[in-house]
Amino acid sequence: MSKHRSDSWQIKLYTVWVFFVVNLRRLFRDRVALFFTFLFPLIFLFVFGSLSNTGSLNFRVALINDSRTPLAQLYSTNLRKDKTFNIQSGVSTLAQADSSLSRGEIDVIIELPKGFGQIINGLPTGNAILRYSGSNQQEAQALASIMQSQFSAITSHFTKSGQTLKVITKQSDAHSLTSFDYTFTGLLGFAILGTGIFGPMSVFPELKKMGVLRRLHTTPLRVWQFFMSNMLGQAVTGLMSLGLMMVVAVELYHLKIVGDLATLALYLILGIILILGIGLALGGWAKNERQVAPLGNIIVFPMMFLTGVFFPRYLMPQWLQSITNYMPLTPVIDGARMILTQGKSLLDLGPQLAVMGVWLVIIYAVAFRVFRWE
Amino acid sequence: MPEIIVKVKDLSKSYNGIKAVDAISFSVYKGEVFGILGPNGAGKTTTLEMIETLREIDHGSATITNIDVATNPYKIRSLIGVQPQSPGFQDRTKLTEIIQMFAAAYGERVNPRTFLNEVGLGEKANAFVEQLSGGQKQRFSIVTALVHNPKVFFLDEPTTGLDPQARRNLWNLITEVKARGISVILTTHYMEEAQILCDRVAIMDSGRIIALDTPNKLIEALLKRGFSKPPIENKANLEDVYIDLTGKKFKSEA
């Protein structure tokens, strides 16, 4: 009868549950693990949070020149030479510029509409439009006054009185991202990376050294049960840690949460489990810590610098962005940001979920294949 | 004829062309303590690990209650309990929690305290394994290997490194396990231990079984071959003195 019971799914999941509960309790008795799970990411949040509050010296500008007049051409040429205006290349249409603005990749859009700079009655006329988002109000005002004085200088060649070239400021409807939004979701990725990969990478070889896994190997425990108990544990502690970061970010750094928290939690759990798979593969394969450390670094460091953990990916050249799009952590960070700050739903995140799904299959296939109990 | 629980036939294992275990055959009966003796490198541990499903079998077969080891590893693991040479447990985990985990690994739910009381560790229920002494750890390890009431219990050099009291306690425990009808297979370097505990012993050398019988019959056979050694005058030895003076701590605990 007992044999019959041990074959049922409920019993197999009960096994997973017991391992999960006991190991969770064990984690909370381990100060070092607690530090790395909860405090370590927070320290980074404090550091990067205060860094990203300092304003930048130049403004990232998309220049859309639809006017063919000589004055418009001359003005845009001069604008490109001006160090205050960091004109972004590669943004040529208003639609592109708008979406860049909403992603926080640029601060303002300067639009020179058709006919801007036409000479009418001997005077240059037209309105330049300065578009900005809610989070760039200050920058927009500064730029508007700079431009207005430039326009005054131009018109003064024609007339001493009156101002026929004007700057019109327009706030775009879309909520745009601040640089902190990028910093914060990058740090979420950092926390996921840290506990998901370095956790099993250091714990499993330790358990092997103590003979714990070898001992478990003499029981009918399956690898998937062992993995699943780890996934549960990581999902729970991961969400706690990320939640804590979010509270700190909202309180101290005025993070604006636009999206649905349940959606975000679901998405982050998926990301946590995905990245944990890399840790399970590395730790499950490793005979000892020395053996796995170099391989772990080769995998972790590129992700740390190329997937938007510490540097927003929009700073990268286009070709690098299109490659790093396909790294496992990239869709985790991008998707989390899109939910958190743009209110996207899971249905909007098809491309991200697709990349994550493919990686999930690959990573866990490898993890199961290379796992060894001793 | 007693019921055969473990049946090993022509079991072989090679490492890099060297035969670690060379076509050995034996059977273990229900409720029997079966000892495997031999020098280091004789193939004792490899033999155990093949029957325990931990190592692939090159040739031959092993069955436990007529279930083939090679083809049903998970079923076999639910029928056996294994005490490794040096039992390791995860730290920062209470004894009760470890017992729950092992029981869960076998798909069972147990009351850990009952098991701990049986081996005199009731008071240590909330302690961590790293707080136990060597002997206590051995007893605890045996508990975790028996939570699922296995048919066969394997012990690989269980008393190596234990002090005399702890060793005797372990002998008592093994005798109790045997009394529950569980077959015990153990390896040891201590002949005294084999003589006291084992119903039958197999002596291995270079991967082969060179003798297999009850300890008494092996001794008789040796004497028949004309062996003699100077008669011993002493009725007690130094270990008896030591045990007498230091007492059996474990008995009062239990």
Side-chain angles (χ1 to χ4, degrees):
Chain A
M1 175 165 162
S2 92
K3 234 166 285 156
H4 174 73
R5 273 192 304 136
S6 69
D7 284 342
S8 85
W9 275 100
Q10 276 137 307
I11 290 294
K12 287 205 162 86
L13 291 177
Y14 165 75
T15 308
V16 172
W17 178 255
V18 171
F19 273 69
F20 156 67
V21 170
V22 171
N23 281 321
L24 194 63
R25 287 200 201 124
R26 179 170 179 251
L27 176 90
F28 279 94
R29 293 174 189 141
D30 184 347
R31 284 201 191 135
V32 177
L34 287 178
F35 172 80
F36 278 108
T37 309
F38 296 108
L39 225 51
F40 195 57
L42 277 188
I43 293 173
F44 274 76
L45 181 57
F46 291 138
V47 171
F48 281 82
S50 27
L51 278 183
S52 71
N53 275 353
T54 58
S56 56
L57 290 173
N58 60 14
F59 304 97
R60 294 164 304 167
V61 176
L63 178 64
I64 310 295
N65 182 7
D66 289 332
S67 169
R68 297 244 176 86
T69 65
L71 192 130
Q73 299 301 335
L74 188 67
Y75 181 68
S76 49
T77 311
N78 284 334
L79 214 51
R80 282 178 203 282
K81 289 180 191 155
D82 193 325
K83 287 206 174 106
T84 318
F85 296 80
N86 180 4
I87 310 284
Q88 307 291 300
S89 56
V91 188
S92 54
T93 68
L94 196 58
Q96 274 179 348
D98 265 333
S99 67
S100 277
L101 186 67
S102 73
R103 288 198 300 269
E105 294 169 10
I106 55 173
D107 298 316
V108 295
I109 304 168
I110 295 174
E111 190 191 348
L112 304 178
K114 247 185 197 138
F116 173 83
Q118 256 180 340
I119 311 289
I120 298 174
N121 300 330
L123 291 177
T125 57
N127 296 329
I129 302 163
L130 187 82
R131 294 174 194 271
Y132 64 97
S133 69
S135 45
N136 298 100
Q137 244 156 342
Q138 288 179 342
E139 287 95 329
Q141 264 159 20
L143 282 179
S145 62
I146 293 171
M147 285 171 69
Q148 195 59 66
S149 63
Q150 289 170 336
F151 288 172
S152 303
I154 294 169
T155 37
S156 69
H157 293 296
F158 297 87
T159 174
K160 293 282 175 252
S161 64
Q163 187 54 265
T164 47
L165 283 175
K166 282 183 183 146
V167 180
I168 297 174
T169 54
K170 276 189 183 169
Q171 182 171 351
S172 91
D173 302 332
H175 168 80
S176 96
L177 303 189
T178 63
S179 68
F180 182 73
D181 291 335
Y182 280 91
T183 306
F184 180 69
T185 44
L187 288 176
L188 289 185
F190 173 74
I192 292 173
L193 204 58
T195 53
I197 295 186
F198 288 119
M201 220 174 88
S202 64
V203 171
F204 285 13
E206 185 67 19
L207 290 177
K208 286 180 193 182
K209 203 170 83 188
M210 291 192 286
V212 174
L213 293 193
R214 183 189 161 78
R215 183 68 188 270
L216 286 175
H217 189 31
T218 67
T219 73
L221 184 73
R222 310 268 175 155
V223 178
W224 71 259
Q225 290 175 309
F226 185 65
F227 276 8
M228 200 168 158
S229 71
N230 273 283
M231 289 181 200
L232 275 179
Q234 197 77 26
V236 168
T237 53
L239 275 191
M240 286 166 70
S241 162
L242 301 182
L244 189 64
M245 288 172 77
M246 218 172 290
V247 170
V248 171
V250 168
E251 290 299 319
L252 290 187
Y253 303 110
H254 316 292
L255 175 74
K256 245 190 234 146
I257 296 177
V258 177
D260 175 34
L261 283 181
T263 307
L264 182 67
L266 198 67
Y267 192 79
L268 287 177
I269 287 175
L270 189 65
I272 288 168
I273 286 173
L274 171 68
I275 299 302
L276 174 70
I278 300 173
L280 292 179
L282 287 169
W285 164 78
K287 284 178 185 155
N288 55 57
E289 249 175 287
R290 274 228 313 267
Q291 183 194 30
V292 73
L295 190 60
N297 287 337
I298 286 175
I299 292 174
V300 169
F301 277 102
M303 281 207 270
M304 220 170 254
F305 295 106
L306 296 175
T307 63
V309 170
F310 291 135
F311 314 110
R313 285 194 319 125
Y314 61 73
L315 294 178
M316 297 173 189
Q318 201 61 47
W319 64 268
L320 192 56
Q321 284 190 40
S322 40
I323 295 172
T324 55
N325 262 335
Y326 298 103
M327 294 177 77
L329 190 60
T330 306
V332 178
I333 293 175
D334 283 354
R337 185 180 56 246
M338 287 157 91
I339 297 170
L340 186 73
T341 60
Q342 293 177 288
K344 301 267 166 135
S345 75
L346 288 182
L347 291 176
D348 302 320
L349 300 175
Q352 279 76 18
L353 288 170
V355 174
M356 285 164 78
V358 170
W359 274 115
L360 200 68
V361 172
I362 295 173
I363 288 169
Y364 275 91
V366 172
F368 275 102
R369 187 165 281 255
V370 300
F371 184 81
R372 43 191 176 195
W373 293 97
E374 47 194 300
Chain B
M1 194 68 183
E3 187 189 344
I4 290 177
I5 299 292
V6 180
K7 196 172 174 68
V8 172
K9 201 160 179 288
D10 294 330
L11 201 65
S12 302
K13 179 85 192 173
S14 303
Y15 296 115
N16 305 322
I18 297 157
K19 288 204 162 170
V21 175
D22 190 2
I24 61 169
S25 302
F26 61 87
S27 298
V28 179
Y29 303 115
K30 184 175 163 63
E32 172 184 42
V33 178
F34 186 86
I36 302 178
L37 315 181
N40 282 333
K44 307 186 297 288
T45 301
T46 305
T47 302
L48 285 198
E49 286 179 345
M50 279 193 281
I51 309 173
E52 292 162 359
T53 76
L54 297 182
R55 239 167 251 284
E56 229 174 280
I57 294 170
D58 283 357
H59 294 289
S61 68
T63 60
I64 295 177
T65 62
N66 286 324
I67 296 166
D68 186 59
V69 168
T71 50
N72 302 291
Y74 288 100
K75 200 151 230 165
I76 292 296
R77 284 175 207 165
S78 68
L79 295 175
I80 63 172
V82 177
Q83 161 93 327
Q85 252 174 42
S86 48
F89 296 98
Q90 56 187 43
D91 51 356
R92 293 188 209 87
T93 315
K94 292 176 186 174
L95 299 196
T96 50
E97 291 171 339
I98 290 179
I99 291 179
Q100 279 169 350
M101 282 174 86
F102 270 93
Y106 291 104
E108 308 264 344
R109 199 188 296 240
V110 299
N111 179 2
R113 301 225 170 224
T114 326
F115 284 91
L116 289 172
N117 287 336
E118 272 175 27
V119 293
L121 289 172
E123 284 171 19
K124 295 273 181 187
N126 285 322
F128 299 153
V129 186
E130 57 267 33
Q131 294 162 338
L132 298 183
S133 71
Q136 288 171 328
K137 211 179 267 183
Q138 284 285 359
R139 277 186 272 148
F140 178 65
S141 180
I142 287 179
V143 169
T144 60
L146 298 177
V147 278
H148 58 306
N149 201 18
K151 300 261 189 246
V152 189
F153 182 31
F154 293 90
L155 300 98
D156 198 358
E157 295 182 20
T159 58
T160 302
L162 292 189
D163 66 38
Q165 279 100 341
R167 172 170 302 170
R168 268 146 212 270
N169 290 334
L170 209 67
W171 290 351
N172 289 341
L173 261 179
I174 291 170
T175 313
E176 282 166 27
V177 171
K178 170 190 153 92
R180 280 159 60 182
I182 297 172
S183 306
V184 177
I185 300 180
L186 61 85
T187 69
T188 181
H189 284 302
Y190 304 107
M191 297 307 125
E192 180 204 11
E193 183 168 292
Q195 199 174 344
I196 291 174
L197 281 179
C198 298
D199 297 301
R200 290 187 305 144
V201 296
I203 300 176
M204 282 186 80
D205 193 24
S206 311
R208 299 184 144 271
I209 292 180
I210 50 176
L212 196 169
D213 215 326
T214 65
N216 284 340
K217 284 205 178 131
L218 289 173
I219 293 167
E220 270 173 37
L222 177 68
L223 294 175
K224 268 188 198 152
R225 291 201 293 274
F227 179 86
S228 72
K229 73 175 182 182
I232 296 162
E233 294 291 324
N234 295 341
K235 292 270 191 301
N237 61 20
L238 187 59
E239 183 163 338
D240 297 324
V241 175
Y242 176 81
I243 292 290
D244 181 58
L245 290 175
T246 56
K248 285 188 184 179
K249 212 165 53 186
F250 167 63
K251 277 225 163 138
S252 57
E253 254 182 51

